[in-house]
Every structure is written in C-alpha cells, then in structure tokens.
Amino acid sequence: MTKKPLIISTDPGIDDIAAMTISLFAKELDVKMIVPTWGNVALEYTLQNTLNLEKFLHTEVPVVVGANQPLVRPAISADSVHGKTGIAGFEFPEADQSLIKPGLAATVMHDAIMTNPEKTTLLGIGPLTDYALLFKQYPDVLEKIEQVIIMGGNIGHGNHGPFSEYNIAGDPEAAQIVFHSGLPVKVAPLEVGNKAHLTPEQMQAIKACGEVGAMLYAMFSNIHEPDGDPRIKIYDPTAVGILLAPECFVMKKANVEIELAGRYTYGASVMDFLSDDTNAEIAVDVKTDKFAAWFIQSIKQAEQGRK
C-alpha cells in the first residue's frame, strides 16, 4: 500500500494531541513533518507540546516551528479551555529540541512538497496562518498538493463569537487565502465535532488502550462541557476521520467565504450550499457510533505501534 504524504499544521491543544496520535500511527499515512503554530495557546507551548508528544509516542517526525501570530489581527487564546500550556490533565516527559528542523515553515514545507514524487495532503487543525504563507510565498507549490483538510468553521453559530469558530477566527485572512487557493478543500466544521462525541463508556474503552489510551483519557477527562453533558465532544480528529474513514461522514459541496469586514461577524464562515460555484466540501453529518468505533480502533493501533 502506498502511503499518503501528509503535513500537519497544529496548535496542541487536547484534541490536537489525539489527531496527531492517530495520524502518526495510521498505516495509510506518511507524516512528513509537523508544524506547530500559535493557536489554542502561544507558540512556545504548542511547540513544546508537539515535541513532548513525539517523545511519549517514540516517533521521530521532523518538527518545523510555525507562525507565532496571525497575519493581520492580534492573537487570541483558548487557555481557559485547554489550560495555560494547552494540555491540562496529563504531564508529559519534557523533550529536547533535537527533532526541530531549522528554517522558515513555508520554505521547509515548500521544499519537502516539491521534492516528493507524490502529491502531499495538508491537514490543518489550528489557525491556517502557515498554509496561507506557503501559498502566497510559493504559488508553484499548489500543483503538488493533493488536498487540504481542515477542522474549522461553522455552519451555524460559533464557539468563539456568535458566528465564528475558533480556528477560523484565529486568522480569518489566512483562512480566506486557503479557501481561495483553488485546491480541493474538505472541512470538518464545529457542528460535526459537537456530534462526534464519546460516551463515558467509550471513554473507558479508550482508557483501556494501554498508555496511549490512558494519556488521552486523562486529558479528555479534564474537559468539562459548559452544559454539563458527560459526553466528550471530538473536534480535530474529525478532520483525520474525513481522510481515513470517509464512510463516517456525509459531505456536501459549498462555496465558503470568510467574513473579513463585519463589525459583529468578523471571522464568520459563510457556507453557501446553494451556490453553483463551490470551493469546498463540508461534512454536514457524522455517523457517531461508526466514528467512535474508528476512533477507539485508531488509538489501539497507536498503542501497538508505539511499542
């Protein structure tokens, strides 16, 4: 089986940790590099979290330091949700910086993509700053990219503002660049993450998946939903699911524009499903039980691969 080359842009973040863990041990994927960026918390934490995860998982994928702020606006933070360091609930052994590959993220990504004989897939599970910089600085790279898969955006109401989802609201200008890149874009929006939940019983099944499962269980157990729902909502791993388990999702084409000028709607994802001129495929539904089974099996696979 030919593995798909993959680059991950991430801002870990508890659910980012789960998405990276699945990706690093997926038999279908060849993760070429991980590009931590500012996002849920500041870059200094997302970078160290990435390095610490790789040490814990015994993997050695190169890490390239990404953007430390958005293209235009001041950075936002979700440390009230994820904790100051982004991964409250579990103490990783601290890693050194030996996996860091020097250079500007856009340049390092460009060189890796252009020298790979196969087209590369980009996974964006944080603000899309680094991918926007890549596309603007190196437009020739577009012909060598298979697709972009994003966790971000919202069909209805948001989780950052009334109409904006956090990853897109973090850098709306960057998101607009990505959606207008001309590349195939697939999106796991907020609503799919809300529905792709894990029950307490399924969380116990994850806990039973060895040290990897115990790590994820500890972090996810630290998330307390404002509405008191005991189920754990899964966000960033839904983007990996679109890539690896598309049978779990219902996809629908849409034209996506990011609001850049609105006083109250800045950062909103305007998804027009009636437009004849489409630039993305949106996951509009998820088969929750099938997704949960895939998620648990993926964690078991990661535990087996880690040994």
Side-chain angles (χ1 to χ4, degrees):
M1 179 181 63
T2 302
K3 293 188 174 185
K4 295 178 181 292
L6 182 74
I7 292 176
I8 303 174
S9 174
T10 179
D11 61 337
I14 294 170
D15 49 346
D16 301 74
I17 294 288
M20 284 193 287
T21 298
I22 292 171
S23 299
L24 286 165
F25 292 100
K27 293 181 172 63
E28 306 94 326
L29 300 178
D30 178 12
V31 182
K32 294 297 186 181
M33 71 183 71
I34 301 172
V35 184
T37 180
W38 77 278
N40 283 313
V41 289
L43 177 61
E44 64 177 301
Y45 297 119
T46 63
L47 172 60
Q48 193 62 50
N49 292 345
T50 302
L51 296 169
N52 291 353
L53 176 66
E54 288 223 64
K55 180 176 182 178
F56 175 81
L57 294 177
H58 308 155
T59 56
E60 296 183 341
V61 171
V63 174
V64 182
V65 180
N68 67 358
Q69 59 186 309
L71 295 178
V72 178
R73 303 289 182 108
I76 59 178
S77 175
D79 57 7
S80 62
V81 176
H82 293 265
K84 180 180 178 181
T85 65
I87 50 172
F90 186 81
E91 292 294 327
F92 283 98
E94 186 155 334
D96 61 26
Q97 299 194 338
S98 58
L99 288 182
I100 294 180
K101 188 171 183 176
L104 292 172
T107 301
V108 178
M109 286 191 289
H110 170 264
D111 293 347
I113 293 168
M114 297 304 291
T115 56
N116 196 309
E118 295 183 50
K119 288 189 175 184
T120 300
T121 292
L122 304 183
L123 177 68
I125 51 177
L128 298 171
T129 311
D130 285 302
Y131 290 155
L133 289 169
L134 170 65
F135 298 166
K136 282 297 187 181
Q137 288 183 283
Y138 301 103
D140 62 318
V141 80
L142 296 173
E143 65 184 24
K144 293 281 288 181
I145 295 172
E146 182 75 26
Q147 60 184 333
V148 185
I149 302 181
I150 297 167
M151 189 279 124
N154 50 296
I155 300 170
H157 281 269
N159 65 347
H160 176 68
F163 303 103
S164 61
E165 179 276 331
Y166 188 88
N167 283 347
I168 301 299
D171 197 338
E173 285 78 11
Q176 181 76 341
I177 289 170
V178 171
F179 277 106
H180 283 269
S181 64
L183 291 169
V185 178
K186 295 179 181 177
V187 181
L190 182 66
E191 288 80 2
V192 162
N194 288 337
K195 188 174 180 181
H197 55 250
L198 297 172
T199 65
E201 293 75 21
Q202 289 164 336
M203 287 300 298
Q204 288 297 323
I206 289 171
K207 185 178 181 181
C209 295
E211 292 185 41
V212 174
M215 175 267 291
L216 292 172
Y217 178 86
M219 286 196 294
F220 278 119
S221 296
N222 199 64
I223 298 175
H224 302 288
E225 298 295 342
D227 58 5
D229 191 338
R231 300 172 299 182
I232 303 298
K233 296 180 176 67
I234 303 295
Y235 294 101
D236 290 338
T238 58
V240 185
I242 287 175
L243 179 60
L244 298 180
E247 67 277 4
C248 295
F249 300 88
V250 177
M251 307 295 293
K252 191 173 180 181
K253 292 183 178 181
N255 186 71
V256 180
E257 300 287 345
I258 308 301
E259 176 58 67
L260 303 179
R263 180 178 177 186
Y264 300 107
T265 58
Y266 175 68
S269 305
V270 183
M271 298 185 180
D272 183 0
F273 293 98
L274 300 179
S275 174
D276 294 327
D277 183 18
T278 61
N279 61 2
E281 285 187 80
I282 315 297
V284 296
D285 200 4
V286 57
K287 299 170 186 175
T288 305
D289 290 341
K290 182 175 283 192
F291 174 83
W294 168 81
F295 185 90
I296 294 168
Q297 181 56 41
S298 297
I299 303 307
K300 290 179 180 177
Q301 185 169 297
E303 175 66 23
Q304 294 165 358
R306 175 177 179 267
K307 295 176 180 177

